[in-house]
Amino acid sequence: MKIERYFYSEAKAEWEQQLEKMRRHQEALYLSEDRSDAGAEETDVEEESAYMEWISEVMDESKNTFPADQPPICTIANPKKYSEFRGLVNEAIELARAVRANLLVNVENLTASIILVGDDMAFAGEEKQILDRLTESADDVDVKLSVDVGDGSPTDIDGIVQMEFWFDFYEEVEMEE
């Protein structure tokens, strides 16, 4: 599989467009024939003030566009985390059985989810310990009301508690230069 994302190139192209707009606007401002008119100085001051505010806004946006010389990031698969996830799946099955919840486990590429849906999500003893392990191991946890979307999956029920545990089987590592 090959994935290409050009976030830097896209941001740079957008930045260059903004610079070009500023250059054209500045040229229009200073090369305007209206500058020789009697009331033009007041208009020019207002236009220049608006122009300077606009430049300030663009510069503020650019701080978020180009982070300061960050080293490249490399994504590395983490087989240990995948192995841990497989053990958690067995525990999640037991947890779902104990609290009478529907369970959906989904693995795609380097991510996975364990989703529990039920109306009585009370955890004590062993169930609470399993829930704690799921929460500690997951990269993201989402608790919400489930929604019936018509796909017929075990989690496709309207208006009961849905707990989602999301896992990433990779790590992002900064490359040394």
Side-chain angles (χ1 to χ4, degrees):
M1 172 174 34
K2 182 178 180 181
I3 298 173
E4 295 181 10
R5 298 288 187 264
Y6 299 98
F7 300 115
Y8 171 80
S9 299
E10 291 169 2
K12 185 177 180 193
E14 185 178 319
W15 175 246
E16 288 172 353
Q17 286 176 348
Q18 294 292 338
L19 286 175
E20 181 61 25
K21 279 184 188 177
M22 284 190 296
R23 187 191 62 72
R24 284 194 309 260
H25 187 72
Q26 188 175 25
E27 271 183 28
L29 239 167
Y30 291 106
L31 299 178
S32 172
E33 294 176 15
D34 295 338
R35 291 179 64 85
S36 61
D37 293 344
E41 286 185 33
E42 289 178 28
T43 305
D44 286 344
V45 170
E46 290 174 11
E47 284 182 14
E48 194 164 338
S49 175
Y51 175 69
M52 294 308 286
E53 285 180 35
W54 181 69
I55 288 177
S56 177
E57 288 174 16
V58 169
M59 296 305 284
D60 288 343
E61 288 176 16
S62 72
K63 290 176 186 174
N64 297 327
T65 305
F66 294 104
D69 296 328
Q70 293 181 349
I73 296 176
C74 181
T75 302
I76 300 173
N78 186 341
K80 181 180 176 187
K81 193 156 186 186
Y82 179 73
S83 177
E84 180 183 353
F85 170 78
R86 290 180 56 100
L88 286 170
V89 167
N90 293 329
E91 291 186 57
I93 292 169
E94 293 304 315
L95 178 63
R97 182 177 290 127
V99 297
R100 293 180 298 282
N102 286 356
L103 173 74
L104 177 64
V105 176
N106 190 20
V107 178
E108 287 186 27
N109 299 326
L110 294 175
T111 62
S113 64
I114 297 174
I115 303 173
L116 296 165
V117 177
D119 62 353
D120 185 17
M121 297 292 228
F123 304 98
E126 181 66 27
E127 291 86 22
K128 184 180 180 310
Q129 291 174 359
I130 294 171
L131 183 65
D132 288 345
R133 283 192 291 275
L134 280 169
T135 303
E136 289 172 9
S137 298
D139 293 296
D140 291 307
V141 178
D142 189 20
V143 179
K144 60 185 177 185
L145 288 177
S146 65
V147 178
D148 184 355
V149 293
D151 69 0
S153 73
T155 61
D156 196 25
I157 302 170
D158 202 14
I160 60 177
V161 177
Q162 178 170 328
M163 300 177 75
E164 298 179 359
F165 302 90
W166 292 88
F167 302 85
D168 296 323
F169 307 129
Y170 62 87
E171 293 177 26
E172 292 182 341
V173 179
E174 290 183 4
M175 308 252 325
E176 294 182 16
E177 294 183 24

